[in-house]
Amino acid sequence: MCRAATAFRWWAPSATASTSTTSRARTSTSSPVERYGSTVVRMNVPPGPFMARDPRVVAVLDAKSFPVLFDMDKVEKRDLLTGTYMPSTSLTGGHRVCAYLDPSEPTHAKVKQLLFSLLLSRKDDVIPVFRSNFSSLLATVESDLAEGGKAEFNKLNDVTSFDFIGEAYFGVRPSATDLGKGGPTKAAKWLIWQLHPLLTLGLPMVLEEPLLHTFHLPPFFVKGDYGALYKYFSTVAKQALDTAEGLGLSREEACHNLLFATTFNSYGGLKVLFPGILANVASAGEKLHERLVAEIRGAVAEAGGKVTLAAVEKMELAKSVVWESLRLDPPVKFQYGHAKKDLQVQSHDAVFQVKKGEMLFGYQPCATKDPRVFGATAKEFVPGRFLGEEGSKLLQYVYWSNGRETENPTVDNKQCPGKNFVVLVGRLFLVELFLRYDTFTADIGKDLLGSSVVFTSVTKATSGPGSE
């Protein structure tokens, strides 16, 4: 059974709210699925009343009910990125950025089209910029291993991913500007100021509850950090800002949106994605490493020793590994929507009545580990899960992008505009890793956002393009 969020406080549903959630709780620590014998349940979610006016939600926790959150005819997405509370717009220059806009709002289409245009304009730069940044990261891994016998990947990834995203999108590494090496720290601080109501830092409850979960942290304390980030974007994103004006956006509003999309969405996502992929591949061991080495080096050899988009597209196992990592540990685990009208939500076993205005809440790791879809291995990392015709049928149940993997983002939905970019860079990460190494070992743990990975050994490539 899925243990969605045992820190939540559950409340029993009314008789009219659900057709299968009337059994009494067995223990106070059981999941809502176990307590009520249902995958659609009513519950309270954090944060508390000083930040959220109403903590009550209808949780959809299986693969069948979850997609109601993607149906723009049924749900509204206005101001719901973080759920029952919204961070102060002082953290985003006084603007409601695209992530908080419903597709029905005119600015949503303009900003999302700007992001599509940015990604398209920079598509030829992604591979060389990625390789340059992450080859340097792996060189540092090797030097750290030589000096101390271990290399902490997450810290290196935080710095490298921030530089990569800035250079890939705008052609200038943040560390080469006035931001210097401080960009990732400023970005992380700004992210915490927005997400602290949902975070658990491991502090004693008597400290953590009043500090993080009772009142909003004052935006004043990150004003300088945000200002430094904004200066970088306003300087390097001039071409994108020209495009924005053509779409009817002011340069100021567009810049705040570019900052948010790049830092919160892209950089925040890569802080989770790459450690997650690395942790899964490390745990799978040498047999998987051998298969990835053969596929990756074979495709690169066929391309004349070059890493091209066409070569990457031939790497089916690598793509399956990325999808499986996104299925098990999606960078954004929560999705929300207000019911636009009275509607019915269907799970595998029942139909549930939801009233207009009620908040629907999806905890994605439950839905994407649904044993009714993914079978007995639903909670396990299966590298080749999405290979072949049968495997491709399961992609419709991969929801990490705020939509089905078989669908594409448009200006009319809330699916991640960088959906294909994320899957590409996930594969490029594996390409860089297995062109350089035959195998590696690592210690796996947990950190604030996902997996933590510490390299303990690497075995340099003995054949193929990576051995040169």
Side-chain angles (χ1 to χ4, degrees):
M1 286 292 194
C2 174
R3 291 188 168 275
T6 53
F8 291 169
R9 295 163 293 170
W10 317 118
W11 60 287
S14 65
T16 59
S18 165
T19 61
S20 63
T21 57
T22 56
S23 62
R24 291 186 178 272
R26 289 190 289 274
T27 70
S28 61
T29 59
S30 62
S31 77
V33 175
E34 293 168 329
R35 291 179 67 183
Y36 300 122
S38 174
T39 52
V40 178
V41 296
R42 293 183 181 278
M43 62 174 67
N44 288 355
V45 296
F50 293 106
M51 285 188 277
R53 284 181 294 180
D54 189 349
R56 296 174 297 177
V57 299
V58 178
V60 287
L61 304 174
D62 67 14
K64 185 73 176 289
S65 60
F66 195 93
V68 68
L69 292 162
F70 309 146
D71 191 335
M72 295 299 99
D73 292 328
K74 294 180 178 179
V75 298
E76 182 188 60
K77 295 283 191 170
R78 182 183 176 92
D79 297 336
L80 295 184
L81 175 67
T82 47
T84 58
Y85 78 100
M86 181 181 172
S88 170
T89 55
S90 296
L91 293 166
T92 51
H95 294 276
R96 291 174 57 243
V97 292
C98 187
Y100 290 98
L101 300 178
D102 185 78
S104 64
E105 299 179 75
T107 302
H108 179 273
K110 295 176 184 179
V111 176
K112 201 161 184 182
Q113 186 58 58
L114 171 63
L115 299 177
F116 286 145
S117 299
L118 174 64
L119 290 165
L120 181 63
S121 69
R122 299 291 298 173
K123 62 181 177 62
D124 294 334
D125 298 281
V126 173
I127 292 178
V129 169
F130 186 93
R131 299 206 69 199
S132 174
N133 279 277
F134 279 84
S135 64
S136 295
L137 179 151
L138 294 177
T140 303
V141 166
E142 292 166 19
S143 63
D144 286 353
L145 284 169
E147 290 179 13
K150 65 179 182 179
E152 297 184 23
F153 174 75
N154 292 59
K155 291 181 179 179
L156 297 175
N157 179 58
D158 285 352
V159 173
T160 302
S161 286
F162 194 76
D163 262 356
F164 161 66
I165 285 292
E167 187 177 3
Y169 286 177
F170 307 110
V172 180
R173 289 186 182 183
S175 63
T177 69
D178 290 344
L179 271 178
K181 298 294 185 180
T185 301
K186 296 180 188 299
K189 186 177 175 182
W190 175 70
L191 288 170
I192 288 173
W193 247 247
Q194 295 171 81
L195 297 175
H196 71 86
L198 303 177
L199 296 178
T200 299
L201 300 181
L203 299 173
M205 185 174 292
V206 292
L207 293 177
E208 193 161 272
E209 287 303 311
L211 286 176
L212 299 181
H213 304 151
T214 303
F215 301 100
H216 289 289
L217 296 176
F220 171 79
F221 290 109
V222 292
K223 184 177 180 180
D225 300 289
Y226 187 78
L229 293 169
Y230 184 88
K231 181 182 178 182
Y232 164 77
F233 284 94
S234 64
T235 302
V236 302
K238 291 180 179 179
Q239 183 176 341
L241 296 176
D242 290 342
T243 301
E245 286 188 311
L247 293 169
L249 292 166
S250 72
R251 296 181 79 87
E252 180 197 4
E253 183 172 14
C255 192
H256 287 295
N257 272 280
L258 289 172
L259 191 163
F260 190 93
T262 304
T263 307
F264 190 107
N265 299 128
S266 298
Y267 175 60
L270 296 188
K271 283 169 67 71
V272 179
L273 176 67
F274 293 144
I277 292 173
L278 191 61
N280 286 326
V281 173
S283 299
E286 285 193 45
K287 288 187 177 180
L288 175 60
H289 301 179
E290 291 171 0
R291 293 172 64 194
L292 286 167
V293 163
E295 178 181 81
I296 289 168
R297 295 183 195 172
V300 171
E302 287 181 10
K306 297 180 179 180
V307 177
T308 64
L309 183 59
V312 174
E313 288 299 329
K314 293 180 181 179
M315 302 173 189
E316 295 295 333
L317 177 60
K319 184 182 283 190
S320 180
V321 166
V322 173
W323 279 329
E324 180 73 339
S325 295
L326 287 165
R327 179 187 75 86
L328 287 171
D329 191 19
V332 178
K333 295 171 175 57
F334 308 125
Q335 274 86 28
Y336 305 87
H338 275 131
K340 287 185 173 181
K341 56 189 175 183
D342 290 355
L343 52 86
Q344 295 182 333
V345 176
Q346 186 170 359
S347 71
H348 291 299
D349 301 310
V351 176
F352 304 84
Q353 303 295 326
V354 176
K355 296 295 184 182
K356 179 180 178 180
E358 288 193 284
M359 173 84 84
L360 289 159
F361 159 70
Y363 185 69
Q364 194 178 145
C366 283
T368 56
K369 295 175 187 172
D370 188 340
R372 300 280 283 271
V373 172
F374 294 102
T377 61
K379 295 181 180 180
E380 300 173 13
F381 174 67
V382 180
R385 188 183 297 276
F386 299 104
L387 293 176
E389 184 177 350
E390 290 303 309
S392 65
K393 293 178 181 178
L394 294 173
L395 286 173
Q396 63 181 305
Y397 302 108
V398 177
Y399 302 143
W400 72 269
S401 64
N402 202 14
R404 296 182 186 272
E405 190 63 24
T406 50
E407 298 173 352
N408 290 308
T410 71
V411 296
D412 297 318
N413 64 26
K414 293 299 290 182
Q415 191 166 23
C416 173
K419 167 179 171 281
N420 295 330
F421 172 86
V422 170
V423 178
L424 171 60
V425 297
R427 285 175 287 168
L428 289 176
F429 180 67
L430 292 173
V431 168
E432 204 61 35
L433 196 63
F434 287 107
L435 285 180
R436 196 176 186 105
Y437 307 125
D438 285 342
T439 189
F440 69 94
T441 60
D443 292 332
I444 311 302
K446 292 290 183 184
D447 77 353
L448 183 62
L449 297 177
S451 298
S452 67
V453 183
V454 178
F455 279 98
T456 53
S457 72
V458 295
T459 301
K460 295 295 289 289
T462 54
S463 64
S467 63
E468 297 175 0

